[in-house]
PDB file of all heavy atoms in Angstrom:
ATOM      1  N   PHE A 240     -31.306  10.408 -10.980  1.00 96.00           N
ATOM      2  CA  PHE A 240     -31.031   8.959 -10.909  1.00 96.00           C
ATOM      3  C   PHE A 240     -31.507   8.236 -12.135  1.00 96.00           C
ATOM      4  O   PHE A 240     -30.816   7.401 -12.737  1.00 96.00           O
ATOM      5  CB  PHE A 240     -31.717   8.352  -9.670  1.00 96.00           C
ATOM      6  CG  PHE A 240     -31.548   6.867  -9.592  1.00 96.00           C
ATOM      7  CD1 PHE A 240     -30.460   6.270  -9.051  1.00 96.00           C
ATOM      8  CD2 PHE A 240     -32.589   6.029 -10.089  1.00 96.00           C
ATOM      9  CE1 PHE A 240     -30.310   4.916  -8.986  1.00 96.00           C
ATOM     10  CE2 PHE A 240     -32.423   4.628 -10.043  1.00 96.00           C
ATOM     11  CZ  PHE A 240     -31.307   4.089  -9.479  1.00 96.00           C
ATOM     12  N   LYS A 241     -32.753   8.587 -12.570  1.00 96.00           N
ATOM     13  CA  LYS A 241     -33.337   7.947 -13.776  1.00 96.00           C
ATOM     14  C   LYS A 241     -32.473   8.230 -15.019  1.00 96.00           C
ATOM     15  O   LYS A 241     -32.234   7.365 -15.872  1.00 96.00           O
ATOM     16  CB  LYS A 241     -34.765   8.449 -13.982  1.00 96.00           C
ATOM     17  CG  LYS A 241     -35.491   7.805 -15.131  1.00 96.00           C
ATOM     18  CD  LYS A 241     -36.910   8.310 -15.236  1.00 96.00           C
ATOM     19  CE  LYS A 241     -37.638   7.633 -16.404  1.00 96.00           C
ATOM     20  NZ  LYS A 241     -39.057   8.146 -16.520  1.00 96.00           N
ATOM     21  N   ARG A 242     -31.995   9.476 -15.118  1.00 96.00           N
ATOM     22  CA  ARG A 242     -31.157   9.826 -16.233  1.00 96.00           C
ATOM     23  C   ARG A 242     -29.849   9.038 -16.294  1.00 96.00           C
ATOM     24  O   ARG A 242     -29.474   8.440 -17.282  1.00 96.00           O
ATOM     25  CB  ARG A 242     -30.866  11.331 -16.243  1.00 96.00           C
ATOM     26  CG  ARG A 242     -29.866  11.762 -17.339  1.00 96.00           C
ATOM     27  CD  ARG A 242     -29.658  13.262 -17.284  1.00 96.00           C
ATOM     28  NE  ARG A 242     -29.092  13.739 -16.036  1.00 96.00           N
ATOM     29  CZ  ARG A 242     -27.803  13.628 -15.691  1.00 96.00           C
ATOM     30  NH1 ARG A 242     -26.925  13.062 -16.519  1.00 96.00           N
ATOM     31  NH2 ARG A 242     -27.367  14.121 -14.539  1.00 96.00           N
ATOM     32  N   LEU A 243     -29.155   9.004 -15.128  1.00 96.00           N
ATOM     33  CA  LEU A 243     -27.859   8.326 -15.050  1.00 96.00           C
ATOM     34  C   LEU A 243     -28.026   6.807 -15.299  1.00 96.00           C
ATOM     35  O   LEU A 243     -27.176   6.186 -15.931  1.00 96.00           O
ATOM     36  CB  LEU A 243     -27.187   8.612 -13.733  1.00 96.00           C
ATOM     37  CG  LEU A 243     -26.685  10.007 -13.514  1.00 96.00           C
ATOM     38  CD1 LEU A 243     -26.190  10.167 -12.055  1.00 96.00           C
ATOM     39  CD2 LEU A 243     -25.577  10.364 -14.486  1.00 96.00           C
ATOM     40  N   ALA A 244     -29.112   6.222 -14.745  1.00 95.00           N
ATOM     41  CA  ALA A 244     -29.255   4.766 -14.782  1.00 95.00           C
ATOM     42  C   ALA A 244     -29.579   4.296 -16.204  1.00 95.00           C
ATOM     43  O   ALA A 244     -29.472   3.078 -16.496  1.00 95.00           O
ATOM     44  CB  ALA A 244     -30.395   4.343 -13.863  1.00 95.00           C
ATOM     45  N   THR A 245     -29.922   5.206 -17.082  1.00 94.00           N
ATOM     46  CA  THR A 245     -30.240   4.802 -18.448  1.00 94.00           C
ATOM     47  C   THR A 245     -29.365   5.498 -19.520  1.00 94.00           C
ATOM     48  O   THR A 245     -29.565   5.283 -20.719  1.00 94.00           O
ATOM     49  CB  THR A 245     -31.717   5.188 -18.764  1.00 94.00           C
ATOM     50  OG1 THR A 245     -31.905   6.572 -18.566  1.00 94.00           O
ATOM     51  CG2 THR A 245     -32.651   4.377 -17.881  1.00 94.00           C
ATOM     52  N   GLU A 246     -28.347   6.217 -19.045  1.00 95.00           N
ATOM     53  CA  GLU A 246     -27.515   6.993 -19.960  1.00 95.00           C
ATOM     54  C   GLU A 246     -26.284   6.244 -20.359  1.00 95.00           C
ATOM     55  O   GLU A 246     -25.477   5.910 -19.509  1.00 95.00           O
ATOM     56  CB  GLU A 246     -27.144   8.309 -19.297  1.00 95.00           C
ATOM     57  CG  GLU A 246     -26.469   9.300 -20.177  1.00 95.00           C
ATOM     58  CD  GLU A 246     -26.181  10.628 -19.433  1.00 95.00           C
ATOM     59  OE1 GLU A 246     -25.361  10.610 -18.523  1.00 95.00           O
ATOM     60  OE2 GLU A 246     -26.761  11.628 -19.832  1.00 95.00           O
ATOM     61  N   GLU A 247     -26.112   5.970 -21.639  1.00 95.00           N
ATOM     62  CA  GLU A 247     -24.944   5.217 -22.080  1.00 95.00           C
ATOM     63  C   GLU A 247     -23.668   5.955 -21.806  1.00 95.00           C
ATOM     64  O   GLU A 247     -22.630   5.346 -21.535  1.00 95.00           O
ATOM     65  CB  GLU A 247     -25.067   4.965 -23.584  1.00 95.00           C
ATOM     66  CG  GLU A 247     -24.156   3.885 -24.140  1.00 95.00           C
ATOM     67  CD  GLU A 247     -24.415   2.508 -23.546  1.00 95.00           C
ATOM     68  OE1 GLU A 247     -25.591   2.244 -23.177  1.00 95.00           O
ATOM     69  OE2 GLU A 247     -23.448   1.710 -23.454  1.00 95.00           O
ATOM     70  N   ARG A 248     -23.725   7.237 -21.878  1.00 96.00           N
ATOM     71  CA  ARG A 248     -22.558   8.094 -21.572  1.00 96.00           C
ATOM     72  C   ARG A 248     -22.014   7.867 -20.177  1.00 96.00           C
ATOM     73  O   ARG A 248     -20.800   7.802 -19.996  1.00 96.00           O
ATOM     74  CB  ARG A 248     -22.893   9.571 -21.789  1.00 96.00           C
ATOM     75  CG  ARG A 248     -21.835  10.593 -21.442  1.00 96.00           C
ATOM     76  CD  ARG A 248     -20.591  10.421 -22.292  1.00 96.00           C
ATOM     77  NE  ARG A 248     -19.601  11.428 -21.975  1.00 96.00           N
ATOM     78  CZ  ARG A 248     -18.338  11.381 -22.413  1.00 96.00           C
ATOM     79  NH1 ARG A 248     -17.887  10.350 -23.101  1.00 96.00           N
ATOM     80  NH2 ARG A 248     -17.487  12.343 -22.081  1.00 96.00           N
ATOM     81  N   PHE A 249     -22.932   7.729 -19.211  1.00 97.00           N
ATOM     82  CA  PHE A 249     -22.544   7.496 -17.850  1.00 97.00           C
ATOM     83  C   PHE A 249     -21.837   6.124 -17.726  1.00 97.00           C
ATOM     84  O   PHE A 249     -20.864   5.949 -17.021  1.00 97.00           O
ATOM     85  CB  PHE A 249     -23.707   7.530 -16.945  1.00 97.00           C
ATOM     86  CG  PHE A 249     -23.434   7.194 -15.497  1.00 97.00           C
ATOM     87  CD1 PHE A 249     -22.484   7.906 -14.764  1.00 97.00           C
ATOM     88  CD2 PHE A 249     -24.130   6.169 -14.855  1.00 97.00           C
ATOM     89  CE1 PHE A 249     -22.194   7.576 -13.452  1.00 97.00           C
ATOM     90  CE2 PHE A 249     -23.846   5.831 -13.521  1.00 97.00           C
ATOM     91  CZ  PHE A 249     -22.892   6.548 -12.814  1.00 97.00           C
ATOM     92  N   PHE A 250     -22.324   5.083 -18.454  1.00 97.00           N
ATOM     93  CA  PHE A 250     -21.703   3.785 -18.507  1.00 97.00           C
ATOM     94  C   PHE A 250     -20.305   3.884 -19.024  1.00 97.00           C
ATOM     95  O   PHE A 250     -19.315   3.310 -18.467  1.00 97.00           O
ATOM     96  CB  PHE A 250     -22.517   2.831 -19.334  1.00 97.00           C
ATOM     97  CG  PHE A 250     -21.955   1.440 -19.462  1.00 97.00           C
ATOM     98  CD1 PHE A 250     -22.129   0.500 -18.489  1.00 97.00           C
ATOM     99  CD2 PHE A 250     -21.162   1.141 -20.558  1.00 97.00           C
ATOM    100  CE1 PHE A 250     -21.591  -0.753 -18.597  1.00 97.00           C
ATOM    101  CE2 PHE A 250     -20.610  -0.138 -20.704  1.00 97.00           C
ATOM    102  CZ  PHE A 250     -20.831  -1.077 -19.704  1.00 97.00           C
ATOM    103  N   GLU A 251     -20.129   4.602 -20.136  1.00 97.00           N
ATOM    104  CA  GLU A 251     -18.798   4.771 -20.751  1.00 97.00           C
ATOM    105  C   GLU A 251     -17.834   5.521 -19.815  1.00 97.00           C
ATOM    106  O   GLU A 251     -16.640   5.174 -19.740  1.00 97.00           O
ATOM    107  CB  GLU A 251     -18.967   5.496 -22.085  1.00 97.00           C
ATOM    108  CG  GLU A 251     -19.693   4.683 -23.138  1.00 97.00           C
ATOM    109  CD  GLU A 251     -20.037   5.521 -24.363  1.00 97.00           C
ATOM    110  OE1 GLU A 251     -19.841   6.755 -24.320  1.00 97.00           O
ATOM    111  OE2 GLU A 251     -20.573   4.929 -25.358  1.00 97.00           O
ATOM    112  N   GLN A 252     -18.356   6.550 -19.124  1.00 97.00           N
ATOM    113  CA  GLN A 252     -17.496   7.278 -18.177  1.00 97.00           C
ATOM    114  C   GLN A 252     -17.078   6.348 -17.057  1.00 97.00           C
ATOM    115  O   GLN A 252     -15.904   6.449 -16.588  1.00 97.00           O
ATOM    116  CB  GLN A 252     -18.296   8.467 -17.612  1.00 97.00           C
ATOM    117  CG  GLN A 252     -18.509   9.622 -18.642  1.00 97.00           C
ATOM    118  CD  GLN A 252     -19.378  10.682 -18.065  1.00 97.00           C
ATOM    119  OE1 GLN A 252     -20.299  10.457 -17.227  1.00 97.00           O
ATOM    120  NE2 GLN A 252     -19.148  11.920 -18.505  1.00 97.00           N
ATOM    121  N   SER A 253     -17.955   5.515 -16.575  1.00 97.00           N
ATOM    122  CA  SER A 253     -17.628   4.595 -15.470  1.00 97.00           C
ATOM    123  C   SER A 253     -16.556   3.610 -15.965  1.00 97.00           C
ATOM    124  O   SER A 253     -15.643   3.257 -15.190  1.00 97.00           O
ATOM    125  CB  SER A 253     -18.867   3.861 -15.018  1.00 97.00           C
ATOM    126  OG  SER A 253     -19.818   4.757 -14.471  1.00 97.00           O
ATOM    127  N   GLU A 254     -16.716   3.121 -17.192  1.00 96.00           N
ATOM    128  CA  GLU A 254     -15.673   2.226 -17.748  1.00 96.00           C
ATOM    129  C   GLU A 254     -14.316   2.864 -17.764  1.00 96.00           C
ATOM    130  O   GLU A 254     -13.306   2.295 -17.350  1.00 96.00           O
ATOM    131  CB  GLU A 254     -16.085   1.830 -19.170  1.00 96.00           C
ATOM    132  CG  GLU A 254     -17.020   0.650 -19.250  1.00 96.00           C
ATOM    133  CD  GLU A 254     -17.165   0.213 -20.705  1.00 96.00           C
ATOM    134  OE1 GLU A 254     -17.350   1.050 -21.583  1.00 96.00           O
ATOM    135  OE2 GLU A 254     -17.092  -1.027 -20.948  1.00 96.00           O
ATOM    136  N   ALA A 255     -14.267   4.081 -18.311  1.00 97.00           N
ATOM    137  CA  ALA A 255     -12.977   4.800 -18.405  1.00 97.00           C
ATOM    138  C   ALA A 255     -12.405   5.090 -17.035  1.00 97.00           C
ATOM    139  O   ALA A 255     -11.200   5.046 -16.816  1.00 97.00           O
ATOM    140  CB  ALA A 255     -13.164   6.078 -19.215  1.00 97.00           C
ATOM    141  N   LEU A 256     -13.245   5.422 -16.059  1.00 97.00           N
ATOM    142  CA  LEU A 256     -12.830   5.744 -14.727  1.00 97.00           C
ATOM    143  C   LEU A 256     -12.171   4.518 -14.084  1.00 97.00           C
ATOM    144  O   LEU A 256     -11.113   4.636 -13.474  1.00 97.00           O
ATOM    145  CB  LEU A 256     -14.022   6.207 -13.843  1.00 97.00           C
ATOM    146  CG  LEU A 256     -13.688   6.648 -12.435  1.00 97.00           C
ATOM    147  CD1 LEU A 256     -12.971   7.973 -12.421  1.00 97.00           C
ATOM    148  CD2 LEU A 256     -14.938   6.690 -11.564  1.00 97.00           C
ATOM    149  N   VAL A 257     -12.785   3.372 -14.265  1.00 96.00           N
ATOM    150  CA  VAL A 257     -12.207   2.121 -13.685  1.00 96.00           C
ATOM    151  C   VAL A 257     -10.854   1.861 -14.348  1.00 96.00           C
ATOM    152  O   VAL A 257      -9.924   1.537 -13.652  1.00 96.00           O
ATOM    153  CB  VAL A 257     -13.179   0.915 -13.951  1.00 96.00           C
ATOM    154  CG1 VAL A 257     -12.470  -0.390 -13.617  1.00 96.00           C
ATOM    155  CG2 VAL A 257     -14.426   1.082 -13.075  1.00 96.00           C
ATOM    156  N   GLU A 258     -10.771   1.975 -15.660  1.00 95.00           N
ATOM    157  CA  GLU A 258      -9.515   1.675 -16.376  1.00 95.00           C
ATOM    158  C   GLU A 258      -8.384   2.610 -15.898  1.00 95.00           C
ATOM    159  O   GLU A 258      -7.250   2.216 -15.771  1.00 95.00           O
ATOM    160  CB  GLU A 258      -9.717   1.827 -17.888  1.00 95.00           C
ATOM    161  CG  GLU A 258      -8.520   1.394 -18.651  1.00 95.00           C
ATOM    162  CD  GLU A 258      -8.809   1.275 -20.157  1.00 95.00           C
ATOM    163  OE1 GLU A 258      -9.880   1.696 -20.616  1.00 95.00           O
ATOM    164  OE2 GLU A 258      -7.919   0.775 -20.876  1.00 95.00           O
ATOM    165  N   LEU A 259      -8.751   3.861 -15.574  1.00 96.00           N
ATOM    166  CA  LEU A 259      -7.724   4.790 -15.125  1.00 96.00           C
ATOM    167  C   LEU A 259      -7.298   4.579 -13.674  1.00 96.00           C
ATOM    168  O   LEU A 259      -6.155   4.604 -13.360  1.00 96.00           O
ATOM    169  CB  LEU A 259      -8.298   6.228 -15.270  1.00 96.00           C
ATOM    170  CG  LEU A 259      -7.280   7.398 -15.141  1.00 96.00           C
ATOM    171  CD1 LEU A 259      -7.795   8.666 -15.852  1.00 96.00           C
ATOM    172  CD2 LEU A 259      -6.974   7.767 -13.732  1.00 96.00           C
ATOM    173  N   LEU A 260      -8.280   4.313 -12.807  1.00 96.00           N
ATOM    174  CA  LEU A 260      -7.996   4.251 -11.369  1.00 96.00           C
ATOM    175  C   LEU A 260      -7.539   2.928 -10.847  1.00 96.00           C
ATOM    176  O   LEU A 260      -6.816   2.870  -9.831  1.00 96.00           O
ATOM    177  CB  LEU A 260      -9.239   4.717 -10.566  1.00 96.00           C
ATOM    178  CG  LEU A 260      -9.651   6.175 -10.662  1.00 96.00           C
ATOM    179  CD1 LEU A 260     -10.910   6.398  -9.781  1.00 96.00           C
ATOM    180  CD2 LEU A 260      -8.548   7.117 -10.222  1.00 96.00           C
TER     181      LEU A 260
END
Side-chain angles (χ1 to χ4, degrees):
F240 176 84
K241 184 178 181 180
R242 173 179 61 80
L243 291 173
T245 57
E246 187 178 68
E247 195 64 29
R248 174 63 176 165
F249 176 57
F250 178 83
E251 293 170 353
Q252 289 175 329
S253 299
E254 275 190 313
L256 183 72
V257 169
E258 188 170 7
L259 192 156
L260 291 182

